[in-house]
Amino acid sequence: MSDVKYEMKIEDVVEILSLFEDAGMLVVIDGGWAVDALLGQQTRVHEDLDVAVLHADVPKMRALLSERGFVDVPRDDTWECNFVMGDAKGRLIDFHSCTFDEEKRNVFGVAYEWEAWQGEGVIGGRKVRCIEPKILVDYHSGYEVDANDFHDVKLLCEKFGLAIPKDFDGFA
């Protein structure tokens, strides 16, 4: 797969969401596709689809994708709660999993708060759950940001009346 150019197209996102949702699994869109879901339209090309999922669903998700030709794509930050799967068509899915207890407190995995998972957006004409706008902007801070990050944050801040974080002063 090293010679494959990665791109996650809107029809791929809809297909993958349908696959998981038809199997009864909760999927929360994160990353660049979450930005586009909140904006209600695709604003740029996406290399991958970032998803936040319940850790208990990970084995079933892996099995469903393996049946469709997806394999693990090792990364430096790979661990049981953060991993990437890709296929020969150039589609990448970046998984971020965690476990919430009965009081919706995160007790394992990627440090999401339940409130972060309460955003709603639209992808390909269908309503999706995604990371809440203010929290999504916060998630775009605290690391070395790039032009895609600035693009996403600028559009979110404009639509939702949020301040652009200081991390992006060099792009303004």
Side-chain angles (χ1 to χ4, degrees), residues 6-162:
Y6 295 108
E7 182 179 352
M8 184 61 75
K9 297 178 180 174
I10 198 164
E11 56 270 14
D12 299 319
V13 173
V14 170
E15 175 190 334
I16 289 161
L17 288 177
S18 295
L19 175 69
F20 293 150
E21 289 171 0
D22 290 350
M25 294 178 275
L26 173 64
V27 177
V28 180
I29 308 299
D30 198 350
W33 274 110
V35 172
D36 285 356
L38 289 165
L39 297 171
Q41 64 181 341
Q42 185 174 355
T43 64
R44 65 175 177 86
V45 173
H46 299 277
E47 179 180 88
D48 64 2
L49 170 64
D50 293 278
V51 293
V53 300
L54 297 173
H55 191 68
D57 289 336
V58 166
K60 190 171 182 180
M61 290 176 161
R62 283 181 165 283
L64 285 170
L65 290 173
S66 292
E67 291 168 3
R68 287 156 181 82
F70 281 81
V71 297
D72 283 309
V73 178
R75 300 262 173 108
D76 290 342
D77 62 350
T78 296
W79 64 295
E80 67 181 304
C81 295
N82 187 21
F83 61 93
V84 175
M85 294 184 77
D87 70 0
K89 296 178 185 176
R91 302 181 298 178
L92 290 177
I93 307 168
D94 190 352
F95 289 88
H96 312 279
S97 70
C98 65
T99 302
F100 295 103
D101 67 12
E102 300 80 30
E103 285 82 39
K104 304 295 186 203
R105 292 179 301 215
N106 186 318
V107 295
F108 176 73
V110 176
Y112 285 109
E113 293 182 19
W114 181 252
E115 294 76 27
W117 286 24
Q118 304 312 306
E120 291 185 351
V122 176
I123 295 176
R126 68 182 283 160
K127 193 171 168 182
V128 298
R129 186 179 271 193
C130 56
I131 301 297
E132 187 275 331
K134 167 76 171 83
I135 295 171
L136 190 56
V137 169
D138 291 345
Y139 286 173
H140 278 82
S141 298
Y143 59 89
E144 189 173 330
V145 296
D146 62 20
N148 279 342
D149 295 315
F150 178 67
H151 170 271
D152 292 350
V153 166
K154 182 175 183 277
L155 291 176
L156 280 177
C157 290
E158 287 172 355
K159 177 160 184 165
F160 294 99
L162 304 169

